[in-house]
Amino acid sequence: MKEFKQEVTKLICDACDLKVSKSSAEFNEFICIEHKCGDATIHEKDLILTVDYCQKCFSRVCFDHFSLSYAEDKDT
């Protein structure tokens, strides 16, 4: 039996349509969220909600609702 591996090589921002390839530094700064909707969802249960934002759109949309900290702070 053959095993297949999928790899993301391009991303498109869902807000501004910015397109970046894996070779771009911006690729690693995208915020990509995938969430399976559960029992208390306002959406249909078991649907998969996905969103991909470039860092600028994520900050514009969510600026008042997220926190930033240094990675080493998470180890304590």
Side-chain angles (χ1 to χ4, degrees):
M1 180 180 283
K2 289 186 178 183
E3 187 174 311
F4 293 95
K5 180 180 177 183
Q6 289 184 330
E7 183 178 346
V8 176
T9 58
K10 293 184 181 179
L11 291 169
I12 302 171
C13 178
D14 289 327
C16 72
D17 290 327
L18 173 69
K19 295 170 182 66
V20 297
S21 64
K22 192 171 183 174
S23 61
S24 167
E26 185 73 18
F27 183 91
N28 292 322
E29 301 307 323
F30 259 67
I31 312 300
C32 302
I33 300 169
E34 182 176 293
H35 173 75
K36 181 179 178 183
C37 298
D39 291 332
T41 187
I42 61 171
H43 311 291
E44 186 177 330
K45 181 182 174 188
D46 294 328
L47 285 181
I48 304 295
L49 180 147
T50 60
V51 66
D52 299 321
Y53 285 137
C54 70
Q55 60 183 329
K56 291 176 185 170
C57 287
F58 180 81
S59 290
R60 183 178 48 80
V61 171
C62 301
F63 184 76
D64 293 334
H65 308 288
F66 69 88
S67 301
L68 293 172
S69 60
Y70 290 100
E72 57 267 12
D73 292 347
K74 296 293 183 186
D75 296 336
T76 59

